[in-house]
Amino acid sequence: MINFKVVDLEITEINQGESKLSFINNIIVTTVQLMPKSVVGFFSKKYIAGDTIDKAVQCVKDLNEKGIFATMDVLGESITQKDEAIEAKNKCLEVLDTIVKNKLNANLSLKPTQMGLNIDEEFAYNQIKELVEKAKGINNFVRIDMEDSPFTDKTINLFKRLKNDFNNVGLVLQAYLKRTTSDVITLNKLGTNYRLCKGIYIEPATIAYKDKQGIRENYLKSLELMFKNGNYVGIATHDEYLINEAYKMIKEMNISKDKFEFQMLLGVREDLRDRINGDGYKIRIYVPFGKDWYPYSIRRLKENPQIAGHIFKNIFSFEK
Ligand SMILES: Cc1cc2nc3c(=O)[nH]c(=O)nc-3n(C[C@H](O)[C@H](O)[C@H](O)COP(=O)(O)OP(=O)(O)OC[C@H]3O[C@@H](n4cnc5c(N)ncnc54)[C@H](O)[C@@H]3O)c2cc1C
């Protein structure tokens, strides 16, 4: 039998100290993955615009009204069949058309494995090229998300090939990867439009920093390198420390406002989002939508033990 009082107590502890996080977090994280989909769906609502493109359009319009930009993402990843990857690409084409039709201040983000990167690299390249070409025709932009480390080199190669022919394409780099600063040095030579995030996948300590401060340091080191070469950077984080340090760096390095934007995920730290917007900096929100919401939701819930804790309690309360 589960002791609910104990669960409650430990969840409170999670919020009090980083040192106590990992053990209980691991339990919660493992348990979240065993939850019924309906419960995960209930708690994920704040992170997802909805299951249809119309709901996503409404969400983007609401953000745009506040002066906030968006990047739209059709949920889906790790596709193993070409016809599914083509269907995903067609949905992305529809997003680009919808942006124009509704005059949205938005661009497109996509996951390479959703376009077929783990089926066939050439096929995925052609799929993404079609999207970048389409976006170019409507004066829009495509951001290639970064997935887990088996895809890092393939994604960078894909991006480099696209960059030969297009300027309206950008790449994501992850500060938790030890290789990132050297990737920045290489990619700076191409004049890359970056999104810099911490990284969300579980990676081994041989290739990734695992501690909060190590990741923060690599984030700031990478950001400085990106800025030094005059690249455009999407500073994607909800970490107030990093946002404050980025503010300082922007002032000290005298970076002009057309060289960066802040980026956040839908439903996360809206207080910070509004502060950045109020400070007169450009901010873009990642707006995911679609029927394949499950893996994305699990990742978001893993990041937020408080919500995961609610789920945990809810599930076991069914037994009462
Ligand atoms: C626009 C955008 C695009 C991204 N694209 C990618 C990508 O392509 N590849 C990739 O690997 N990762 C991507 N990420 C995810 C990123 O790597 C991090 O996992 C995520 O942003 C959390 O890291 P953080 O910098 O916000 O810092 P953290 O230290 O994790 O979070 C800082 C604070 O934000 C709040 N917070 C964070 N997450 C949540 C949540 N889910 N619910 C509630 N509060 C929360 C908490 O208060 C937390 O203390 C993206 C993130 C953003 C913002």
Side-chain angles (χ1 to χ4, degrees):
M1 281 292 286
I2 301 281
N3 179 336
F4 296 102
K5 287 256 162 57
V6 171
V7 171
D8 261 340
L9 240 182
E10 287 173 337
I11 286 164
T12 311
E13 282 184 354
I14 285 171
N15 301 323
Q16 286 171 352
E18 226 180 284
S19 59
K20 291 171 183 161
L21 260 171
S22 56
F23 176 67
I24 301 301
N25 259 8
N26 282 343
I27 295 174
I28 289 177
V29 160
T30 309
T31 312
V32 162
Q33 291 170 96
L34 302 174
M35 301 299 170
K37 254 187 156 181
S38 56
V39 178
V40 174
F42 177 80
F43 283 98
S44 304
K45 271 186 196 151
K46 62 182 288 211
Y47 302 124
I48 292 163
D51 50 359
T52 64
I53 195 160
D54 290 344
K55 287 181 185 158
V57 167
Q58 193 48 55
C59 176
V60 173
K61 280 185 177 167
D62 293 345
L63 290 167
N64 286 174
E65 264 174 33
K66 296 188 177 102
I68 296 170
F69 292 71
T71 185
M72 297 174 76
D73 169 61
V74 184
L75 287 167
E77 57 199 272
S78 305
I79 280 177
T80 54
Q81 302 296 325
K82 278 192 180 173
D83 55 346
E84 286 175 34
I86 292 168
E87 195 190 321
K89 179 207 62 194
N90 288 339
K91 283 188 186 148
C92 290
L93 288 170
E94 188 190 352
V95 169
L96 291 170
D97 283 330
T98 305
I99 288 172
V100 178
K101 195 172 136 208
N102 291 277
K103 300 190 176 73
L104 302 177
N105 277 325
N107 60 29
L108 178 73
S109 284
L110 57 82
K111 293 206 166 22
T113 64
Q114 184 189 23
M115 294 297 123
L117 190 63
N118 58 358
I119 307 171
D120 174 351
E121 274 183 64
E122 196 58 27
F123 167 75
Y125 167 76
N126 284 318
Q127 291 244 95
I128 300 175
K129 186 173 174 218
E130 190 180 334
L131 288 165
V132 176
E133 231 159 20
K134 165 91 178 178
K136 188 182 175 189
I138 58 169
N139 204 17
N140 207 289
F141 180 86
V142 176
R143 171 79 58 194
I144 303 174
D145 286 355
M146 187 60 81
E147 297 172 273
D148 43 341
S149 55
F151 298 104
T152 312
D153 278 323
K154 290 178 184 171
T155 304
I156 291 177
N157 287 342
L158 217 151
F159 170 77
K160 281 182 179 166
R161 283 179 71 189
L162 290 164
K163 195 69 183 78
N164 278 335
D165 297 319
F166 301 97
N167 262 328
N168 61 316
V169 60
L171 182 69
V172 178
L173 291 184
Q174 298 153 323
Y176 64 13
L177 289 186
K178 293 177 180 170
R179 59 178 284 169
T180 289
T181 44
S182 93
D183 285 333
V184 175
I185 290 166
T186 311
L187 288 161
N188 273 352
K189 294 179 188 138
L190 308 179
T192 297
N193 182 317
Y194 296 102
R195 173 196 294 152
L196 180 61
C197 66
K198 285 186 181 173
I200 183 68
Y201 302 90
I202 297 164
E203 301 289 358
T206 43
I207 61 162
Y209 296 104
K210 301 302 260 183
D211 62 303
K212 193 167 186 156
Q213 209 47 35
I215 298 169
R216 280 174 166 170
E217 277 166 24
N218 209 37
Y219 192 105
L220 293 172
K221 213 162 134 189
S222 305
L223 182 61
E224 190 180 357
L225 280 172
M226 290 169 176
F227 276 152
K228 261 189 185 156
N229 276 64
N231 301 283
Y232 191 92
V233 192
I235 307 165
T237 182
H238 319 91
D239 183 341
E240 207 160 347
Y241 169 83
L242 283 182
I243 290 168
N244 290 338
E245 289 300 306
Y247 268 40
K248 275 192 220 157
M249 201 185 285
I250 286 159
K251 287 213 175 84
E252 280 163 20
M253 293 177 75
N254 202 17
I255 307 294
S256 67
K257 281 190 176 173
D258 62 348
K259 288 289 180 194
F260 67 92
E261 64 186 41
F262 287 91
Q263 298 186 353
M264 290 191 181
L265 302 171
L266 186 67
V268 180
R269 292 300 309 261
E270 290 176 351
D271 55 331
L272 261 183
R273 176 198 76 182
D274 293 342
R275 182 190 123 194
I276 293 169
N277 197 27
D279 288 340
Y281 290 127
K282 183 169 175 178
I283 176 139
R284 187 181 300 277
I285 301 297
Y286 191 95
V287 176
F289 73 96
K291 59 178 176 48
D292 296 325
W293 49 269
Y294 187 72
Y296 181 87
S297 303
I298 289 287
R299 283 202 296 273
R300 295 285 82 78
L301 294 174
K302 281 184 190 174
E303 276 178 324
N304 191 351
Q306 251 177 304
I307 288 192
H310 290 313
I311 298 181
F312 196 62
K313 284 187 282 181
N314 245 28
I315 286 298
F316 288 109
S317 69
F318 293 158
E319 288 179 4
K320 279 180 187 171

